[in-house]
């Protein structure tokens, strides 16, 4: 069966600027472990150790990218040569239906950078000393199945998870795009120390999840109830799933509070007050009113409490990659033994297992499985959320195929060839985009990018 029956070609992404990232060699897109890629509906960001390329395209007559109108932006972040500092993660941040669309970049020294589409540095902030492994953007809307809504940017580091609230990043970007304090932004970035905790510092939460060893990937799956006998408050608790070398899967309950104990509360109030009183008294005695000549260095943010929930150790199996479903209730985890585990993140049990998929990549996708239902809808009304079925697309590069399996325990719906040198990609989550109404549902799609030919295509939503 021809591959074209299951995919639609959108255009060619090839351009001369890609030679800076190694394009021209067979398999350059998949053979370089330092090459990072992030897809948006209008742009592709590719990065190696020190260079970022943003490739834009405009829609052609058939709705796909027009290669004749491609625009390329090159970004060379100001990285420290001492460490040495490298680019370790890239991800798009899309707000308000493309009104605010920026690129988030993580470095091996723990810095979070945000760039505009023109390559202008908007924000720079240290999260925690260490390598940023992944920037994960996700959100859930409040509806019949979700009690709360949440939008976040999760920063994954070895043994550490940080969470930025989506609204905080959006408010910062709105001020920047609207031009308020634009002169301050432009002037201060060259003068301000990156560790400065001034006006540009975004609030975030930080947890240490290294109880079972450093993690290779992690995700915050959603809000969870507090533990039994816990003091009730307005604070949220999150569930986090981590994978790594020592523990294939481990789960934690993340608290927003640094400490919930009575002793900790007393110490947090009494000790600073006592220290302040002693310091003031000593100043009166010694009259030491000298101002410090050096700006105090910013200290690392303290960790909030992370309570372990469960752990799966199965030596020599090692967790490699983790992919979350849209609601966060399912996670597909690949391991070093060529297996794929489907984890129920609420019950924290493995509900399905695939074998024989070494170096696999997984993405959740929504397909129109019911042909009768799909045919009954007109083009005017479109499709509702109930018309789509959640599936898992598994790219097995050693087999040269992509398989689509129906969730949770459904059959294999599709098998299509995927040329060597190709990757499957998915556009990032869009903040504040679609509402929860069934008539405006935007389904998850899977894109194919062939590095050797530059061809980009999308998996058809129907199985015809």
């Amino acid at each position: 069966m021809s591959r074209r029956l299951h995919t639609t070609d959108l255009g060619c992404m090839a351009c001369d600027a890609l030679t800076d990232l190694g394009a021209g060699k067979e398999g350059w897109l998949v053979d370089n472990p330092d090459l990072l890629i992030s897809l948006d509906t209008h742009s592709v960001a590719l990065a190696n150790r020190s260079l970022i390329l943003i490739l834009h395209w405009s829609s052609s007559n058939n709705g796909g990218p027009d290669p004749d109108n491609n625009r390329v932006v090159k970004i060379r972040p100001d990285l420290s040569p001492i460490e040495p500092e490298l680019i370790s993660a890239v991800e798009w941040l899309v707000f308000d239906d493309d009104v605010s669309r920026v690129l988030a970049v993580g470095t091996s020294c723990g810095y979070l950078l945000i760039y505009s589409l023109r390559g202008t540095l908007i924000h720079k902030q240290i999260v925690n000393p260490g390598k940023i492994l992944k920037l994960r953007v996700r959100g859930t809307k409040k509806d019949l199945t979700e009690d709360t809504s949440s939008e976040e940017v999760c920063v994954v580091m070895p043994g550490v998870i940080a969470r930025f609230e989506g609204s905080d990043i959006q408010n910062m970007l709105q001020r920047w795009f609207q031009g308020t304090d634009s002169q301050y932004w432009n002037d201060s970035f060259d003068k301000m120390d990156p560790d400065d905790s001034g006006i540009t510092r975004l609030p975030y939460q930080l947890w240490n999840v290294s109880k079972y060893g450093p993690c290779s990937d992690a995700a915050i799956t959603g809000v969870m109830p507090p533990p039994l006998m816990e003091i009730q408050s307005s604070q949220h608790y999150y569930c986090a799933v981590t994978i790594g070398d020592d523990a294939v899967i481990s789960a934690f309950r993340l608290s927003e509070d640094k400490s919930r104990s009575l002793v900790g509360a007393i110490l947090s109030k009494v000790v600073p007050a006592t220290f302040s009183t002693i310091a003031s008294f000593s100043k009166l005695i010694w009259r030491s009113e000298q101002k410090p000549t050096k700006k105090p260095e910013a200290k690392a943010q303290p960790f909030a409490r992370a309570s372990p929930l469960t752990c799966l150790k199965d030596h020599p199996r090692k967790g490699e990659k983790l992919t979350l479903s849209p609601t966060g209730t399912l996670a597909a985890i690949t391991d070093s033994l060529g297996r794929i585990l489907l984890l129920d993140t609420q019950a924290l049990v493995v509900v399905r297992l695939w074998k024989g998929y070494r170096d696999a990549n997984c993405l959740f996708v929504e397909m129109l499985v019911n042909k009768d239902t799909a045919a009954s809808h007109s083009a005017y009304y479109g499709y509702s959320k109930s018309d789509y079925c959640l599936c898992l697309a598994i790219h097995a590069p050693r087999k040269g195929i992509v398989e689509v399996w129906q969730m949770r325990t459904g059959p294999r719906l599709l098998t299509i060839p995927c040329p060597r040198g190709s990757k499957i990609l998915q556009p990032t989550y869009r903040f504040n985009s679609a509402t929860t109404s069934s008539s405006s549902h935007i389904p998850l799609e899977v894109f194919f990018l062939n590095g050797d030919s530059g061809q980009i295509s999308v998996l058809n939503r129907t199985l015809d």
Side-chain angles (χ1 to χ4, degrees), residues 156-337:
V156 180
M157 309 174 76
V160 175
I161 296 179
R163 181 184 182 274
F164 288 81
E165 191 70 40
S167 59
D168 292 333
I169 299 178
Q170 183 181 17
N171 292 335
M172 182 269 292
L173 293 176
Q174 284 179 344
R175 292 195 300 268
W176 191 86
F177 279 104
Q178 290 173 358
T180 57
D181 300 329
S182 59
Q183 187 64 35
Y184 168 79
W185 287 94
N186 294 334
D187 293 342
S188 62
F189 269 118
D190 294 333
K191 303 175 182 178
M192 190 177 63
D193 188 274
D195 294 335
D196 196 315
S197 58
I199 189 173
T200 62
R201 185 173 178 83
L202 290 169
Y204 65 99
Q205 296 146 338
L206 192 67
W207 296 277
N208 185 342
V209 290
S210 61
K211 179 177 177 62
Y212 304 110
C215 59
S216 59
D217 202 352
I220 297 177
T221 62
V223 179
M224 69 181 307
L228 296 176
M229 308 301 293
E230 184 73 26
I231 301 176
Q232 301 298 311
S233 72
S234 59
Q235 301 294 331
H236 284 148
Y237 292 83
Y238 303 98
C239 178
V241 175
T242 69
I243 62 174
D245 293 348
D246 298 330
V248 181
I249 303 174
S250 56
F252 295 83
R253 178 185 281 108
L254 308 181
S255 171
E256 289 183 332
D257 293 345
K258 304 295 186 300
S259 174
R260 301 280 296 167
S261 66
L262 179 62
V263 175
I266 294 175
L267 291 177
S268 64
K269 298 294 183 182
V270 175
V271 173
T274 305
F275 181 80
S276 177
T277 302
I278 295 175
S280 300
F281 184 71
S282 63
K283 284 184 179 181
L284 290 176
I285 295 177
W286 300 103
R287 298 182 182 278
S288 56
E289 297 294 336
Q290 297 179 357
K291 295 183 179 180
T293 57
K294 183 180 179 181
K295 182 190 295 185
E297 296 183 1
K299 297 181 180 180
Q301 180 167 308
F303 293 110
R305 191 177 64 173
S307 305
L309 296 175
T310 188
C311 174
L312 171 62
K313 291 189 176 183
D314 187 16
H315 185 77
R317 186 202 305 259
K318 301 177 182 179
E320 293 182 342
K321 286 169 285 191
L322 184 151
T323 304
L324 273 184
S325 67
T327 59
T329 56
L330 291 175
I333 298 168
T334 63
D335 66 20
S336 57
L337 300 183

Side-chain angles (χ1 to χ4, degrees), residues 346-386:
Q346 295 179 329
L348 294 178
V349 295
V350 176
V351 296
R352 195 166 186 175
L353 177 68
W354 291 267
K355 297 181 179 180
Y357 292 87
R358 288 192 178 274
D359 303 324
N361 294 288
C362 300
L363 289 176
F364 285 94
V365 60
E366 291 173 309
M367 305 286 289
L368 290 167
V369 176
N370 192 330
K371 298 180 182 179
D372 297 333
T373 302
S376 64
H377 286 77
S378 66
Y380 177 79
Y381 290 103
Y383 301 103
S384 63
K385 185 176 181 180
S386 60

Side-chain angles (χ1 to χ4, degrees), residues 356-361 394-403 418:
Y357 292 87
R358 288 192 178 274
D359 303 324
N361 294 288
I394 302 175
H395 177 208
R398 297 197 179 190
K399 299 179 181 181
I401 59 173
V402 170
E403 299 178 348
C418 186

Side-chain angles (χ1 to χ4, degrees), residues 3-307:
R3 176 175 176 267
R4 293 183 179 180
L5 296 177
H6 303 296
T7 61
T8 300
D9 291 337
L10 299 179
C12 184
M13 302 294 296
C15 64
D16 295 338
L18 291 176
T19 56
D20 295 336
L21 300 179
K25 297 181 180 179
E26 184 179 359
W28 69 276
L29 188 67
V30 297
D31 294 340
N32 184 0
D34 296 324
L35 186 63
L36 308 170
I37 182 169
S38 179
L39 177 69
D40 186 37
T41 54
H42 299 91
S43 307
V44 172
L46 300 102
N48 60 9
R49 300 162 65 92
S50 59
L51 173 66
I52 304 171
L53 291 183
I54 299 179
L55 178 61
H56 307 276
W57 69 80
S58 58
S59 297
S60 58
N61 295 331
N62 61 0
D66 183 359
D68 294 333
N69 294 324
N70 285 346
R71 293 189 298 110
V72 178
V73 176
K74 291 186 179 182
I75 302 175
R76 294 188 180 273
D78 186 14
L79 304 175
S80 172
I82 301 176
E83 299 296 336
E85 188 176 13
L86 306 172
I87 299 170
S88 56
V90 292
E91 187 59 274
W92 288 102
L93 304 181
V94 184
F95 296 88
D96 291 334
D97 296 330
D98 290 343
V99 173
S100 302
R101 189 156 55 102
V102 297
L103 184 68
V105 179
T107 74
S108 58
C109 291
Y111 281 96
L112 174 65
L113 314 176
I114 298 179
Y115 288 91
S116 69
L117 292 180
R118 296 182 177 180
T120 303
L121 180 62
I122 298 176
H123 182 76
K124 183 175 183 179
Q125 175 175 339
I126 189 168
V127 180
N128 196 66
K131 181 180 180 180
I132 294 180
L133 301 175
K134 190 175 184 65
L135 298 172
R136 193 181 298 276
V137 182
R138 67 177 301 267
T140 55
K141 302 294 184 180
K142 186 175 182 180
D143 56 13
L144 296 178
T145 60
E146 297 290 335
D147 297 331
T148 59
S149 60
S150 174
E151 294 183 319
E152 66 196 18
V153 176
C154 179
V155 180
V156 180
M157 309 174 76
V160 175
I161 296 179
R163 181 184 182 274
F164 288 81
E165 191 70 40
S167 59
D168 292 333
I169 299 178
Q170 183 181 17
N171 292 335
M172 182 269 292
L173 293 176
Q174 284 179 344
R175 292 195 300 268
W176 191 86
F177 279 104
Q178 290 173 358
T180 57
D181 300 329
S182 59
Q183 187 64 35
Y184 168 79
W185 287 94
N186 294 334
D187 293 342
S188 62
F189 269 118
D190 294 333
K191 303 175 182 178
M192 190 177 63
D193 188 274
D195 294 335
D196 196 315
S197 58
I199 189 173
T200 62
R201 185 173 178 83
L202 290 169
Y204 65 99
Q205 296 146 338
L206 192 67
W207 296 277
N208 185 342
V209 290
S210 61
K211 179 177 177 62
Y212 304 110
C215 59
S216 59
D217 202 352
I220 297 177
T221 62
V223 179
M224 69 181 307
L228 296 176
M229 308 301 293
E230 184 73 26
I231 301 176
Q232 301 298 311
S233 72
S234 59
Q235 301 294 331
H236 284 148
Y237 292 83
Y238 303 98
C239 178
V241 175
T242 69
I243 62 174
D245 293 348
D246 298 330
V248 181
I249 303 174
S250 56
F252 295 83
R253 178 185 281 108
L254 308 181
S255 171
E256 289 183 332
D257 293 345
K258 304 295 186 300
S259 174
R260 301 280 296 167
S261 66
L262 179 62
V263 175
I266 294 175
L267 291 177
S268 64
K269 298 294 183 182
V270 175
V271 173
T274 305
F275 181 80
S276 177
T277 302
I278 295 175
S280 300
F281 184 71
S282 63
K283 284 184 179 181
L284 290 176
I285 295 177
W286 300 103
R287 298 182 182 278
S288 56
E289 297 294 336
Q290 297 179 357
K291 295 183 179 180
T293 57
K294 183 180 179 181
K295 182 190 295 185
E297 296 183 1
K299 297 181 180 180
Q301 180 167 308
F303 293 110
R305 191 177 64 173
S307 305

